[in-house]
Amino acid sequence: MSANSFKTPISLSGIIEPAETLKVQASAGGRIIVLHVDENQRVSEGQLLLTLKNDSQKRKLELSRLQLKINENNVFDSNTQITISNNNVEDLETNLRDIKRRLTEEKTLFEQGSSTRSQFDSLQLQYSRGEVSLKNAKLTLEKSKISMLKSQLTLERSYQELAMSEEALDDTQLKAKIGGFIVAKSVEEGEIISPGAILFQIININQVEIPILVEEADLPLIKEGQPVVFTTPSYRDKEFSGVIDRISWSADPETGQFPLYIKATNPGLKLRAGMSAKVYLLRQ
């Protein structure tokens, strides 16, 4: 409590709760082969809690990776085919331009009587065949491009399926999403669990919350962010500091009082969930 603050006549009682509580549920079902933690153990965020039997998921993941490799090769092959088809089109276009040039020259010679009809007709036939070959080559190129698009779409689906398989495998290795203490454990090694089953309860006690109820007449003396001090029977000579985090906009229907919530840090983790607290509001 600062030198410029004083306690109001209002003192309120509440029960200390952890600021964060998490009920850990199973994302996948199966048999627990390793249980890595025990009740009352402190865990960190991301720590492995249990491992389920995962042979089928491993096989699915291996198949997903194999299919991904096949589809990557298909995309590579399609890209190679496009390059070959494109080069073929360019070669045929060059050849057709050369034949057209020769045909123009041969026509002039034929009209001047310096060439024969058979020579002129032969070049015309070559040009017609060249046009057909070019048209077919362009069709092949378009088909190669369509095949490439299909291969790319299939590859994209393979990436998604691989991600899903990896996620499914991760589900068989359950990890803590918050750091804290395991206050409840409802499973044992060898047990078969179902998806959605509640396995642990973890509390983060680094911060605590104290819900309390105040009378309507006391509301003008209270505001969010207001500092408080509180004591517990376990530490009678020590005052802990906190602030009013939020005040409910509606009264409790049973008592007619208004809930408000105190937030406080927990230095040295002295405070435990379930401890009673006597709260004193501070004013400048």
Side-chain angles (χ1 to χ4, degrees), residues 17-240:
E17 298 179 356
E20 190 174 18
T21 300
L22 176 68
K23 290 184 178 179
V24 181
Q25 293 180 277
S27 300
R31 184 183 299 277
I32 300 173
I33 56 173
V34 182
L35 194 59
H36 300 277
V37 294
D38 209 342
E39 199 164 334
N40 292 320
Q41 181 177 335
R42 188 173 188 175
V43 296
S44 56
E45 183 178 352
Q47 183 172 334
L48 190 60
L49 303 178
L50 62 78
T51 302
L52 297 176
K53 187 175 178 63
N54 54 16
D55 292 345
S56 62
Q57 290 297 342
K58 283 182 178 178
R59 285 195 295 270
K60 288 181 182 179
L61 181 58
E62 289 170 359
L63 288 173
S64 295
R65 285 173 176 164
L66 178 61
Q67 189 60 53
L68 176 64
K69 188 65 178 176
I70 291 171
N71 292 333
E72 285 177 338
N73 289 337
N74 288 341
V75 168
F76 178 81
D77 292 343
S78 296
N79 190 55
T80 301
Q81 187 59 48
I82 286 176
T83 301
I84 294 172
S85 298
N86 192 61
N87 290 339
N88 189 35
V89 167
E90 291 177 355
D91 290 343
L92 288 172
E93 286 175 336
T94 300
N95 186 55
L96 194 62
R97 283 195 297 270
D98 181 61
I99 296 174
K100 186 175 183 180
R101 178 186 57 78
R102 289 163 53 202
L103 184 61
T104 302
E105 293 174 352
E106 191 68 28
K107 182 179 180 182
T108 301
L109 293 173
F110 174 68
E111 289 173 348
Q112 293 175 349
S114 301
S115 178
T116 64
R117 165 66 68 177
S118 62
Q119 289 176 315
F120 179 66
D121 290 344
S122 176
L123 276 175
Q124 277 191 319
L125 182 60
Q126 287 184 44
Y127 185 77
S128 298
R129 288 175 176 173
E131 285 184 317
V132 172
S133 297
L134 180 58
K135 183 179 180 180
N136 290 335
K138 287 182 176 179
L139 287 174
T140 300
L141 178 59
E142 289 304 312
K143 289 179 181 179
S144 297
K145 289 179 178 179
I146 293 171
S147 177
M148 177 66 163
L149 289 175
K150 290 180 178 179
S151 296
Q152 287 176 328
L153 289 173
T154 303
L155 179 61
E156 185 61 33
R157 284 196 296 269
S158 293
Y159 282 124
Q160 294 171 358
E161 289 170 2
L162 178 61
M164 292 173 62
S165 295
E166 288 176 337
E167 185 178 343
L169 185 62
D170 285 343
D171 287 342
T172 65
Q173 295 181 324
L174 190 64
K175 298 178 181 179
K177 294 183 179 179
I178 64 169
F181 290 91
I182 295 176
V183 295
K185 175 175 72 72
S186 56
V187 290
E188 300 294 339
E189 282 188 10
E191 188 174 336
I192 296 175
I193 60 172
S194 302
I198 296 176
L199 311 176
F200 306 96
Q201 181 169 305
I202 302 175
I203 61 170
N204 179 0
I205 204 75
N206 291 328
Q207 273 196 325
V208 297
E209 183 175 82
I210 309 172
I212 54 179
L213 296 171
V214 297
E215 298 291 343
E216 180 182 349
D218 293 328
L219 285 177
L221 300 174
I222 299 168
K223 62 181 181 179
E224 290 183 3
Q226 184 174 345
V228 303
V229 293
F230 60 94
T231 60
T232 72
S234 300
Y235 301 97
R236 297 181 184 277
D237 299 328
K238 180 173 176 58
E239 287 186 342
F240 298 88

